[in-house]
Amino acid sequence: MIQYHETTKTFHLSNGKLSYLIKLLPNGQPGQLYFGKAIRDNENFDHLLEMNPRSMTAYLTEGDNRFSLDHVKQEYPSYGRTDFRRPAVEVRQPNGSRIVDLAYVSHTIAPGKPRLEGLPATYCEDGREAETLTLHLQDRLLGLAVDLSYTLFAGHAAVARSVRFINNGTLDLHLTTAMSLSLDLPDSDYEFVHFSGAWARERHMKVRRLEQGIQSVGSARGTSSHNHNPFILLRRPGTDEARGEAIGFSLVYSGNFLAQVEVDNWDVARVTMGIDPFGFDWKLAPGEAFQTPEAVLVYSGEGMGAMSRTYHALYRSRLARGEWRDKPRPILLNNWEATYFDFDEDKLAAIAETARDDGVELFVLDDGWFGARSDDHAGLGDWQANTSRLARGIAGIAERIDALGMKFGLWFEPEMVNKDSDLYRAHPDWIIQTPGRSASHGRNQYVLDLSRPEVVDNLYGQMSKILSGAKVSYIKWDMNRCITEAFSSALPADRQGELFHRYILGVYALYERLTAAFPHILFESCASGGGRFDPGLLYYAPQGWASDDSDAVERMKIQYGTSFCYPLSSIGAHVSAVPNHQVYRNTPIATRANVAYFGTFGYELDPNRLTPEEREQVRGQIRFMKEYREVLQFGDFYRLRSPFESNFLSWMVVSPDRRTALVGWYKILNEVNGPYRRVRLQGLDPALCYQIDGGAGHFGDELMNVGLLTTDSAAGESDPTRASCDFDSRIYVLKA
Ligand code: DGJ
């Protein structure tokens, strides 16, 4: 898949789905000629290296008025040697200089994909699935080696990029910018799409036109955050779900990040993505190495839908790992919105028993089971059962759940501590705080310094003791505040700029140890809902709680936005009680389930408070999910109508053999005397005839071109099959 043409010093990465052309420039630096739809190979693409003299341009070599990095597209640009745009790399040197000059030394092309030490990354299970190009570069003055790595996957229109730095010199160097990727696109005729929001309204889709200057999203909160997601896409104007060009950029990382597009004076759009350089300062002493996180580029010439399905397939099966990767997810009931902190063993068992009778498979005990916790002021850090609530400890409640024939799951918030805890009293210096300044709190809690191995060891010791002493099948790993006053008492002054990244490495190390020691446990990540919903955590936890907002209408936007990069098997989605606890809205229980089916599915309520009719519905929902979860979680997902653009949402999944499909159709507010409506389906086999809900048959080509009729009867008319109300929804089951 990866060709090297020695005569023209050109690399062509192509798998029939995309082409990526890299050429060594006259100064030895790798330049970029093309990224996009697959093209035929050619020995010589030199004509793509446009170098016309321009006024106000600086040139690298005396006597040459053509070669300037100001207008040449590059693979890993630095600032100040004729390029004035924001760089991918910047290194502070002992003499104060920040100029870097990287030139090609050699390269390797090898089957497969090497693992990234200590970091989550996509992988392959056999060497034929991917090929990796590594460009070995060097700054001769500094003795700094830089390896640019490109993995092309055989079956996916995707390239994974990352960078490794090695200080082979004698100077102490400081990496102040070390991005994971840079891509110079030759024009700026794109829309910049990002997924931003806040707590309880995560990953709302936002679209901007690119303009000359810098546009970016990122996080400096210590987590990838509720506010922005480490995923953006650029699309040509007019691109929709099924047509047009879209390029996705996704960072496999859970901490501070930057995703930036700089459009220059010649309309080149430079995309850079990686750890946010703001506040980042990594000391690279002689002999030391630094590995950036991985960024995954996806190309689609068939709209945003195809781009998403590439991410879904890759992240579902070659980023997520472990026993649960390919398994349909258990239907769970989580007690948080059912009880909050007000529970004991009997109350939990009563909820679990009813849930079991209705078909729920996994009971999850959320916050409040440990230490001196009776509200959110105490207990974090002390991971032993609170015996005033759970007299027989975790083993006792776990046995009781097991006796009901259910699996048992447990909540942890390992990274945090309350001052009212034995852990804090024993180790007050283990929290992140700046000497001489007060430590800010969030939710009355403080962040443990996970950059310190002894902190990770302590947490591993406490958690593994609980997990070894009771039958636990699932962990919800929460994280409920941002990092303030970032400073580690274990790091010297010239390494304080490493703390945010070292913290995340500590989180990954703890996840790695726990998932290795307890491979049967299903991990679900969470950070006050979707505050750390990113590919980095998918490597350890194949599912994540998408948002603390469990309202069905709010979830339509949150899950729709999330689906641009993340597979449905990763999107934690539950049916909760009404009035909803976040927005106080009443929605039909059918609609709550119809939204949650397009995720991992579960309940976040007390089933004993439901009416007999509602319980009957719940039983039907669980039967339905058990029948179709394989298709829902592992099928191909298509977005049909956006809740960001209209009063409607529609989406569908299709089984890999295209014989079964489920269409979700949702109306937010009811309307009077509305238009006659159809929704055009996607992904079906045009030649197969599909029975809809066991009724009439329609060929796939009709359903995809004419559409599925979804017209409601007008308000006021009575049509029991189409009774219409606010927050109405339907699921259509199509079978070939
Ligand atoms: C925030 C999570 O998102 C909730 O689901 C719940 O686990 C609470 N924390 C518990 O404190």
Side-chain angles (χ1 to χ4, degrees), residues 360-634:
V360 169
E361 299 158 311
L362 165 68
F363 176 79
V364 179
L365 171 53
D366 207 279
D367 191 356
W369 58 266
F370 49 88
R373 194 127 170 117
S374 54
D375 58 28
D376 61 18
H377 285 79
L380 288 172
D382 296 342
W383 300 107
Q384 309 94 37
N386 177 333
T387 43
S388 61
R389 280 151 184 260
L390 300 172
R392 301 181 312 129
I394 288 299
I397 177 76
E399 266 165 34
R400 200 146 158 196
I401 301 297
D402 186 60
L404 290 172
M406 298 174 93
K407 303 278 183 209
F408 176 68
L410 201 55
W411 180 97
F412 284 93
E413 194 179 2
E415 299 155 70
M416 298 293 154
V417 70
N418 289 115
K419 286 196 172 171
D420 186 358
S421 68
D422 292 340
L423 186 73
Y424 180 80
R425 283 182 281 272
H427 301 284
D429 61 319
W430 278 8
I431 67 169
I432 293 182
Q433 59 184 331
T434 298
R437 304 196 183 277
S438 64
S440 307
H441 74 93
R443 207 193 185 200
N444 313 303
Q445 63 197 47
Y446 299 83
V447 185
L448 287 168
D449 183 355
L450 268 79
S451 75
R452 299 174 69 155
E454 64 273 33
V455 174
V456 173
D457 285 346
N458 177 289
L459 296 170
Y460 178 77
Q462 291 200 59
M463 291 173 79
S464 56
K465 192 164 169 203
I466 288 279
L467 301 178
S468 313
K471 271 192 166 175
V472 179
S473 307
Y474 161 107
I475 286 181
K476 177 177 172 187
W477 179 320
D478 206 345
M479 198 280 187
N480 285 303
R481 62 158 290 188
C482 311
I483 297 178
T484 53
E485 291 94 21
F487 185 95
S488 170
S489 49
L491 288 173
D494 60 354
R495 289 196 180 271
Q496 289 298 330
E498 302 175 15
L499 173 60
F500 277 116
H501 183 58
R502 285 188 183 274
Y503 176 87
I504 287 296
L505 293 180
V507 172
Y508 291 153
L510 184 54
Y511 256 116
E512 186 66 48
R513 283 170 74 177
L514 288 166
T515 49
F518 303 96
H520 66 285
I521 293 184
L522 170 63
F523 281 75
E524 175 152 352
S525 72
C526 171
S528 279
R532 215 167 47 181
F533 198 104
D534 56 57
L537 286 190
L538 263 189
Y539 186 67
Y540 307 96
Q543 59 190 57
W545 183 223
S547 177
D548 272 349
D549 195 334
S550 62
D551 171 66
V553 177
E554 296 286 306
R555 276 299 188 120
M556 292 179 195
K557 287 186 173 166
I558 294 168
Q559 292 176 212
Y560 189 91
T562 305
S563 76
F564 276 81
C565 182
Y566 306 97
L568 296 196
S569 58
S570 72
I571 301 177
H574 300 166
V575 174
S576 61
V578 290
N580 173 266
H581 293 197
Q582 293 79 43
V583 295
Y584 314 112
R585 183 179 283 132
N586 283 289
T587 52
I589 196 164
T591 291
R592 283 174 264 156
N594 289 347
V595 174
Y597 291 143
F598 288 79
T600 58
F601 199 74
Y603 291 83
E604 188 97 11
L605 46 69
D606 183 347
N608 293 316
R609 291 197 210 142
L610 297 176
T611 64
E613 295 72 31
E614 286 171 325
R615 284 209 36 214
E616 202 40 56
Q617 279 183 276
V618 165
R619 288 193 192 120
Q621 293 168 356
I622 293 173
R623 278 196 302 273
F624 177 87
M625 190 60 186
K626 286 180 179 167
E627 187 170 351
Y628 293 110
R629 61 184 153 183
E630 187 102 33
V631 184
L632 284 156
Q633 293 168 356
F634 299 93

Side-chain angles (χ1 to χ4, degrees), residues 1 52 118 146 206 239 257 282 303-304 310 375 409 418 443 486 501 519 583 607 632 699:
M1 293 188 288
N52 293 326
V146 177
K206 312 272 167 66
T239 296
F257 77 95
W282 191 278
M304 296 182 291
T310 299
D375 58 28
N418 289 115
R443 207 193 185 200
H501 183 58
V583 295
L632 284 156
F699 281 99

Side-chain angles (χ1 to χ4, degrees), residues 47-356:
H47 57 285
L48 296 176
L49 194 63
E50 292 180 278
M51 295 199 292
N52 293 326
R54 294 270 206 261
S55 296
M56 279 310 291
T57 298
Y59 300 94
L60 271 177
T61 328
E62 237 177 285
D64 174 321
N65 265 6
R66 283 167 48 81
F67 183 50
S68 171
L69 298 172
D70 207 358
H71 57 228
V72 168
K73 286 127 203 124
Q74 300 153 64
E75 276 306 302
Y76 205 60
S78 61
Y79 164 83
R81 278 180 61 76
T82 71
D83 188 345
F84 305 99
R85 292 165 288 180
R86 293 293 192 277
V89 53
E90 198 174 28
V91 180
R92 199 175 73 244
Q93 299 147 43
N95 67 0
S97 168
R98 290 167 187 260
I99 298 294
V100 179
D101 188 7
L102 297 173
Y104 171 88
V105 177
S106 63
H107 72 267
T108 53
I109 296 172
K113 180 174 192 290
R115 302 238 163 200
L116 299 193
E117 208 186 304
L119 281 168
T122 53
Y123 57 89
C124 52
E125 291 193 331
D126 113 26
R128 284 166 301 184
E129 290 181 1
E131 203 164 56
T132 299
L133 164 70
T134 308
L135 294 176
H136 303 286
L137 314 180
Q138 174 181 239
D139 183 313
R140 287 180 61 194
L141 183 70
L142 303 179
L144 176 66
V146 177
D147 290 346
L148 307 184
S149 158
Y150 303 78
T151 298
L152 180 61
F153 293 89
H156 305 289
V159 176
R161 288 186 55 179
S162 68
V163 182
R164 185 172 167 82
F165 295 82
I166 308 119
N167 186 350
N168 292 325
T170 54
L171 305 172
D172 278 344
L173 303 175
H174 284 258
L175 297 175
T176 54
T177 301
M179 305 305 278
S180 299
L181 78 73
S182 181
L183 190 74
D184 286 348
L185 296 166
D187 68 76
S188 61
D189 192 19
Y190 290 99
E191 288 165 342
F192 174 43
V193 185
H194 57 102
F195 299 86
S196 301
W199 172 79
R201 56 182 166 83
E202 297 90 340
R203 293 174 296 287
H204 280 215
M205 182 179 186
K206 312 272 167 66
V207 183
R208 319 178 197 168
R209 264 319 288 241
L210 285 186
E211 295 291 346
Q212 186 172 342
I214 291 177
Q215 30 262 299
S216 68
V217 293
S219 169
R221 293 167 178 265
T223 58
S224 48
S225 88
H226 302 89
N227 314 66
H228 294 291
N229 196 262
F231 168 70
I232 61 168
L233 72 98
L234 295 184
R235 65 179 189 196
R236 295 293 190 189
T239 296
D240 61 19
E241 285 294 329
R243 280 163 294 269
E245 270 198 321
I247 306 176
F249 302 84
S250 165
L251 188 68
V252 186
Y253 191 56
S254 312
N256 292 347
F257 77 95
L258 178 69
Q260 174 175 288
V261 187
E262 179 171 7
V263 177
D264 73 10
N265 41 317
W266 293 303
D267 288 342
V268 170
R270 169 173 293 175
V271 186
T272 45
M273 185 174 233
I275 294 178
D276 191 349
F278 173 73
F280 174 76
D281 186 324
W282 191 278
K283 181 175 171 183
L284 202 64
E288 287 183 352
F290 178 80
Q291 173 65 56
T292 72
E294 168 170 297
V296 178
L297 264 168
V298 166
Y299 174 79
S300 164
E302 284 99 41
M304 296 182 291
M307 178 212 64
S308 294
R309 286 185 292 281
T310 299
Y311 277 114
H312 295 174
L314 187 63
Y315 283 3
R316 199 167 47 209
S317 64
R318 292 295 179 270
L319 176 61
R321 299 177 300 170
E323 286 182 16
W324 282 97
R325 185 187 75 181
D326 304 325
K327 284 191 194 157
R329 303 300 152 72
I331 295 170
L332 66 81
L333 184 138
N334 178 305
N335 77 310
W336 179 241
E337 288 194 15
T339 66
Y340 295 103
F341 290 114
D342 181 18
F343 61 81
D344 59 22
E345 192 185 298
D346 288 342
K347 190 169 177 180
L348 296 175
I351 292 173
E353 189 167 352
T354 307
R356 189 273 319 263

Side-chain angles (χ1 to χ4, degrees), residues 28-50:
Q29 191 179 330
Q32 182 202 307
L33 300 183
Y34 174 72
F35 175 82
K37 197 175 177 65
I39 55 170
R40 274 181 189 77
D41 191 32
N42 202 334
E43 179 83 23
N44 192 332
F45 286 104
D46 285 1
H47 57 285
L48 296 176
L49 194 63
E50 292 180 278

